Amino acid sequence: MNKSILDYETVELDDENSALVIIDQTKLPSLTEIVNLKTAEEIWDAIYLLKVRGAPAIGVAAAFGIYLLSKKIETEDYTAFYQEFCRQKEYLNSARPTAVNLSWALNRMEQVCVSNKDKSVAEIKELLKQEAISIKEEDIRVCKSIGEYGLTLIKPGDGILTHCNAGQLATCKYGTATAPIYLGLERGYNLRVFADETRPLLQGARLTAYELHSAGVDVTLICDNMSATVMRNGWVNAVFVGCDRVAANGDVANKIGTSVVATVAKRYNVPFYVCAPTSTIDMNTPTGADITIEQRPASEVTDMWYKERMAPEGIKVFNPAFDVTDHDLISGIVTEYGVAREPYAESLREIFSKV
Ligand code: MRU
């Protein structure tokens, strides 16, 4: 039987060959190319170029990545080891600024060094490996739990709209925004999904439509500017999106275009849910205005996917990778501990009391 895209691991550790193994997502859906990353530069590039992408998957890749880089540090002296660990950590952390999972996972790995500084460097390396494996295993459990809570918000036969890819390819299994959809599929919900294509990098068309279609979900691809039409037509009962960073007041940074969908959903009274593992909630960032938004090259807008450049030479281009959705447009933030609702400053604090 042919292997489906869902049968591949998004991020894997090949410890024997000291490699981080990923699917090169820039080639999907036409080519499933598995790549082995061994150097710091290869791992950094893979994150920056979105070969591995989606907040939780970036976190897991960084955890395995820093473990592999620490394995190469040749010293028995803790101070020298820790200094080089921190240098490599800062380098990986600079690959992308918005998804907090990158620094979250790297900080967790650093904490392993700090809390075990009395142990030998060899023992610390082994503990780093175990921590990275735990981060991956937790991601699977967390996504499943988000799926269970998400499923309580919809009913069989519902239409769901999603933006970008917060699917299995953005995590280690289930996805976040797609988790209720996959669980609904297992339980005969017959959901109808609308996937925004998601300009300019087309994660919705290339990844979400691909993985849901491969799973047998009823999925319809739409251009980003069609979400108002499908909502006005009454075809959408709920929007589920993922996120890259949730601020303490409930403002959410997610793929560019998300705030447009949220605004339209409000207009047509469609509940708008953000699926967020607690690893994506940053209580140290007070509001959306404090989130650094990644700016990406103009060529992604003017050239990518086209046979020839399609915009005039010399034209000014604005290409932010993410936008901020204000908390008052969000009906609920679905975490692995339950659904947070307004006022988010309180409900998110309550969620964190369970972590
Ligand atoms: O630039 P990307 O493809 O990494 O952006 C991905 C998103 O915006 C996702 O919605 C988000 O990371 C959540 S993934 C579960």
Side-chain angles (χ1 to χ4, degrees):
M1 221 175 81
N2 276 350
K3 204 169 165 179
S4 146
I5 188 63
L6 295 152
D7 297 325
Y8 290 88
E9 298 276 337
T10 308
V11 185
E12 214 174 355
L13 171 69
D14 178 354
D15 201 21
E16 212 175 308
N17 293 306
S18 293
L20 169 63
V21 184
I22 58 162
I23 309 165
D24 179 349
Q25 297 193 26
T26 63
K27 307 251 169 77
L28 292 174
S30 47
L31 185 65
T32 306
E33 191 176 297
I34 307 300
V35 289
N36 288 353
L37 310 169
K38 296 192 170 181
T39 67
E41 290 71 25
E42 284 170 351
I43 297 168
W44 191 96
D45 271 3
I47 296 173
Y48 176 71
L49 295 171
L50 276 63
K51 290 181 183 182
V52 57
R53 33 72 45 211
I58 291 172
V60 175
F64 283 141
I66 193 69
Y67 159 64
L68 290 169
L69 298 177
S70 72
K71 223 173 124 176
K72 289 193 209 165
I73 304 173
E74 286 177 4
T75 178
E76 285 308 313
D77 175 60
Y78 174 78
T79 310
F81 171 79
Y82 180 59
Q83 212 169 25
E84 180 57 12
F85 177 96
C86 289
R87 200 182 64 79
Q88 300 281 13
K89 177 196 156 199
E90 285 318 312
Y91 176 62
L92 291 187
N93 197 34
S94 69
R96 295 190 78 188
T98 306
V100 68
N101 299 61
L102 179 56
S103 56
W104 171 86
L106 289 169
N107 287 339
R108 234 176 103 162
M109 295 295 279
E110 182 185 353
Q111 202 45 49
V112 170
C113 300
V114 174
S115 325
N116 294 285
K117 58 166 166 274
D118 298 335
K119 299 204 167 77
S120 71
V121 167
E123 283 172 302
I124 294 175
K125 287 179 182 176
E126 181 55 30
L127 290 169
L128 285 168
K129 176 177 153 185
Q130 294 313 325
E131 186 74 356
I133 292 171
S134 302
I135 290 174
K136 176 173 174 175
E137 288 172 350
E138 279 169 30
D139 178 53
I140 298 172
R141 284 199 299 275
V142 161
C143 287
K144 177 124 197 262
S145 177
I146 287 174
E148 296 288 359
Y149 283 113
L151 209 54
T152 66
L153 303 168
I154 52 179
K155 51 184 194 325
D158 272 357
I160 309 292
L161 186 138
T162 189
H163 188 75
C164 192
N165 174 265
Q168 172 155 319
L169 288 163
T171 64
C172 294
K173 204 173 161 61
Y174 302 109
T176 57
T178 57
I181 298 168
Y182 285 123
L183 294 187
L185 183 71
E186 284 171 20
R187 296 171 199 179
Y189 266 54
N190 294 320
L191 301 169
R192 294 164 292 105
V193 179
F194 295 92
D196 281 356
E197 67 172 348
T198 318
R199 282 275 294 158
L201 295 182
L202 307 184
Q203 291 94 329
R206 296 186 303 103
L207 308 176
T208 304
Y210 181 43
E211 60 165 272
L212 292 179
H213 183 64
S214 303
V217 173
D218 174 349
V219 54
T220 304
L221 176 63
I222 58 172
C223 299
D224 296 340
N225 51 8
M226 297 171 188
S227 60
T229 297
V230 294
M231 287 196 235
R232 191 170 196 277
N233 286 354
W235 295 346
V236 179
N237 301 91
V239 175
F240 283 105
V241 295
C243 59
D244 289 81
R245 192 182 294 243
V246 180
N249 72 340
D251 289 350
V252 162
N254 189 47
K255 182 52 53 192
I256 190 71
T258 301
S259 67
V260 179
V261 178
T263 308
V264 171
K266 182 105 175 166
R267 172 70 181 82
Y268 293 111
N269 293 317
V270 175
F272 179 91
Y273 297 111
V274 174
C275 297
T278 49
S279 55
T280 307
I281 303 173
D282 181 4
M283 298 302 274
N284 294 321
T285 295
T287 73
D290 304 300
I291 300 175
T292 304
I293 299 292
E294 176 184 8
Q295 302 293 323
R296 296 201 50 99
S299 57
E300 290 180 351
V301 176
T302 55
D303 294 68
M304 222 170 191
W305 320 115
Y306 297 95
K307 257 197 186 140
E308 290 170 17
R309 183 185 166 90
M310 60 68 181
E313 290 291 349
I315 195 73
K316 285 197 286 183
V317 172
F318 177 49
N319 185 21
F322 302 97
D323 62 20
V324 171
T325 299
D326 298 318
H327 59 89
D328 60 318
L329 296 175
I330 300 170
S331 313
I333 299 180
V334 187
T335 77
E336 70 271 32
Y337 294 102
V339 183
R341 306 224 185 226
E342 287 273 29
Y344 289 107
E346 277 168 37
S347 58
L348 291 177
R349 252 203 319 272
E350 161 94 23
I351 292 282
F352 269 90
S353 69
K354 299 178 189 166
V355 175

